[in-house]
Amino acid sequence: MLTTFLQELRYSLRTLMAQPMFTLIAVATLALGIGANTAIFSVIDGLYLRDMPYKDGDRLAIVHNTYPKMGLEDAGTSIPDYFDRKTQAPSIEDIAIYNNVGFNLADAGAAPERLVALRTSASLFSTLQVQPALGRVFSEENEAPGADRVIVLSHALWENRFNADPAIVGRDIRLDAQPYRVLAVMPEGFDFPNRNVGAWVPFAFTPELKSANERGNEYSSSVARLAPGATLEKVDAEMAQIVRTNVEQLGPDIAGFVGATGFTGRARWLREYQVGETRTMLLVLQGAVLMVLLIACANVANLMLTRVVARQKEISVRNALGATRWRIARQLLVDALVLATIGGGLGLLLAKGSIAGFPLLGITSNQSGYDFRMDAPVLGFALLVTIVAAGLAAILPMISLLRLNIYDTIKEGGRLGSGGRRAAASRNVLVVAQIALATTLLIGAGLLLKSFHLLQSQDPGFRSDGVATALIDLPETKYVDGAAQARALEQIVDRLETIPGVQSAAYTSTLPFSGNNSSGSYSIEGLEVAEGTSPPHAMQRQVEGDYFGTMGIALKRGRLFDARDRADGAPVVIIDEFMAERYFPGQDPLGKRVRRGSSDPDADLPWATIVGVVGTIKHGRLGENVEKETIYWPVAQAPQSSGALVVKANVPPQTLNAAIREAVLAFDPEQSLFGVQTLDERISRSLNNQRAPMVLLGIFAVVALVLSAIGIYGVLAYSVGQRTGELGVRMAIGAGRSQILALILRHGAWLTGIGLGLGLVGAFAGGQAMRTQLFGVGGADPVIFLLVPVLLAAIALFSCWLPARRATRIDPLVALRHE
């Protein structure tokens, strides 16, 4: 058996080397299909199939609060809620609470560096079941104020900043000008919750933080390890019971709040939370590359069918000499395996290069520890695709050969040169399939392209051109109160405005398209909230300097903040048009008053007067529908230590990065900046989830179009070549060139029409599957469904016209001699 296979393999290699053009085209076609499938599968494998980088990661879940009646699905976790769930939810085996914190790391005279750390309970490490590579992690003893100046370093920070010095454990480093004792270094690959985090410090829980007054302050997140056999539904039910218990214990005010907002807890699997909503689009892309592979296999099958016809004399001689029909057909399978194996090898190189190039499309290794790499499962998938591709490419030629009456076919082929009606029918079927698949892909790409164009054309409500941005975090150990923070931000903004080329500068607590947000409940004087109705809830922003002018946010009514709006001035706010239209329809909102939090008239919270109305802006995505109002406060009256600097320039904003850093360092040599980007870059990055699928599907659709055009051209060109005698006879008895042209074009148009019809059906189904990924475009957009078939038909008919034109130039005498 092995000897026979080796003989067939050697024979296959000799015959393929004897036809280098056929071999090159077939290998390149299969390499495209196999490489594209492998590259997309590596993403699916990295995000969904590979084990998580934590022990028993499938038991880890994110636990958060939710307010369904307020439209707040993910509201974070408060500290009292964390302790409630830690002690009262039996389905939770272990749980941790954490939030991001930034430090200015300026150690041993080095330049200040922004360190993104995680402030977390000590239970994080037991919840994730991870041990340090060096030293020991902090314990619950470090959760007490005064005992929390300790730190655990990430492996990357330890290597890059401290030269992998094992003696760093036990030493102090300076964060925000304060000493922190290094307790441990985590193992390589531990990056929770993402790769931006460089260290972990203890959460110091004061009695005030644990008190009921902290309920509703949900600036933290929580991760839990569920008990064996526990489900998300069971955890949700237990958290709902905790809420009911608290309502009974804390009184009617809490009961009214819970009834009005629908407050409860929810759990989501950690993988789902980290990966996000990418599953549908990845499946669409995997389906798209599978179509490309099918088209590639169809092309190779067509080439092999043509080769079978060309080798009929050889095959008949082999059959006459005793070679069985099955052995001859098996040789075709070996040929296909050789072609697919070579194509698979090149496809792996193509897939590897594609994975390396994914960042150019905005597809990056997930920041939460998920990698795209050529590991064993991906290589196994590539091997499977290679074998399947070989089988698909060989099956029709093998069937055609097994059903072939060699002697009758030789007679028919000698007269008409078609290679047999069955072979011709097989080639036609393959071309129809190619056109159908290409139509489906092109329409899908067209839908995404139109969607992306509409998305890009959306007005965010501000002007992003010429604006540089940088994130800043003032350490509270150095700027100890709101007044100090407000003064520091005012002085920094003043320094930025002195930079040559800068038109204006400002500060905001939350920058649009930065991925951050801040929101909270508020009250409107005179507005009574009906029982069982949630209170108003708005996005809250603190700004300093000419923020609205710098961002190009239009003033619609009233005035902007000015020198009157200091800490000792009358409290004021600016609202957006959305809020004005929502709560003051047909009224002048100027002079109305709002305040944060409770509507209780006895609450010790100041009322702020509305002095201006500005345009409504989009904060997170160009495609979002604004459903929540925004309130702006002056920093002097509502201090904030962390946020973003924005600089409007009349020079390219990216050229100001160094000058912005120098201006901040001149104010405070230990203050770092991070996230330095233009506002245009931030908006562009927000479109990555739409841009990458559009580009990839567009590439696959173009490849499919080219392969389909080659396929239909090849079939008709071969048909014309084999029908030279027939066409000569027709012309000799009076057929004109236009009739010959029409004859060939009719054949091509018939194949194209059937393929387009089937493709439209497939495109409709694909459009319905992609509806959630489209913006402003239906899954059966009439423009795309009309233009794409017209374009494809034109290209297909041009591919038909080339061999048809050649047919009209046949000399009848030469053709008759050929016959």
Side-chain angles (χ1 to χ4, degrees), residues 380-415:
F381 175 81
L383 176 61
L384 176 63
V385 170
T386 299
I387 295 172
V388 170
L392 291 175
I395 188 166
L396 271 181
M398 289 176 65
I399 292 173
S400 178
L401 182 59
L402 289 171
R403 297 176 63 182
L404 188 65
N405 185 318
I406 292 178
Y407 301 105
D408 289 347
T409 303
I410 289 175
K411 294 175 184 178
E412 184 181 273
R415 180 166 46 85

Side-chain angles (χ1 to χ4, degrees), residues 587-635:
Q587 305 176 50
D588 185 358
L590 301 181
K592 307 290 186 182
R593 300 201 303 173
V594 301
R595 70 177 176 187
R596 294 179 184 236
S598 173
S599 58
D600 182 355
D602 298 325
D604 186 22
L605 295 167
W607 289 99
T609 302
I610 298 173
V611 296
V613 178
V614 296
T616 301
I617 70 170
K618 297 180 179 181
H619 294 271
R621 295 179 296 109
L622 284 176
E624 72 184 23
N625 292 319
V626 178
E627 298 178 346
K628 194 179 293 295
E629 58 271 24
T630 302
I631 300 177
Y632 299 92
W633 308 76
V635 164

Side-chain angles (χ1 to χ4, degrees), residues 745-758:
L745 288 179
R746 269 199 306 272
H747 184 197
W750 178 72
L751 297 178
T752 301
I754 297 175
L756 289 176
L758 295 174

Side-chain angles (χ1 to χ4, degrees), residues 506-508 510 512 543-553 617 632 646:
Y507 163 87
T508 176
T510 305
V543 299
E544 168 65 40
D546 185 16
Y547 175 71
F548 301 103
T550 302
M551 292 288 291
I553 301 174
I617 70 170
Y632 299 92
V646 290

Side-chain angles (χ1 to χ4, degrees), residues 53 89 99 202 263 279 302 356 454 475 554 610 795:
N99 58 42
F263 167 76
R279 189 186 302 270
N302 247 330
L454 291 174
I610 298 173
I795 293 174

Side-chain angles (χ1 to χ4, degrees), residues 199-219:
W200 297 263
V201 296
F203 214 134
F205 300 111
T206 64
E208 291 78 12
L209 289 176
K210 293 182 179 182
S211 71
N213 292 333
E214 275 296 302
R215 295 188 185 277
N217 288 335
E218 296 154 345
Y219 52 85

